Amino acid sequence: MGTREYAAVVVARNRLGARAGTGDSPSPQFTSGAAAAYRWALGGAERSPVTGSGSAEGGPGLPALTAEVDAAVVQMEDPTSAAGPRDYHRGVHDALAWVCGHRNEAP
């Protein structure tokens, strides 16, 4: 998946979950978006977190992951978007951008 190993994505997802609700965690909406992105990337969700598109059996490939990152950017840049949805989309973006190798640090 993307450029990250499956096991590395599982570790990142678990670390995100462990930080939730602590002083070291991002907003709940960001955490929810990142968690949804990891779940989808790992093949645990039938629909993508932003566009709602279906994915192939076993999880999305790099083109679908990249398209979802792009869709998250469009949503984040929407000036009419409220802070909560914007944080959700930023969480999706940051998690999938890391999965695709566009970021060095996992959220």
Side-chain angles (χ1 to χ4, degrees):
M1 93 188 46
T3 61
R4 307 291 176 186
E5 297 289 330
Y6 186 92
V9 178
V10 169
V11 168
R13 181 200 59 198
N14 293 344
R15 191 172 344 137
L16 178 74
R19 286 179 26 211
T22 69
D24 187 36
S25 69
S27 76
Q29 294 86 357
F30 179 96
T31 300
S32 177
Y38 287 142
R39 187 171 38 260
W40 179 64
L42 291 166
E46 292 182 21
R47 300 276 173 203
S48 63
V50 176
T51 63
S53 64
S55 60
E57 189 172 318
L62 187 57
L65 291 164
T66 303
E68 200 69 6
V69 170
D70 292 344
V73 169
V74 169
Q75 293 299 314
M76 289 185 318
E77 292 178 349
D78 180 355
T80 64
S81 178
R86 196 170 31 250
D87 282 353
Y88 174 86
H89 292 119
R90 183 169 306 283
V92 171
H93 171 273
D94 289 1
L96 293 181
W98 175 77
V99 169
C100 292
H102 301 294
R103 296 174 52 98
N104 293 327
E105 298 289 323

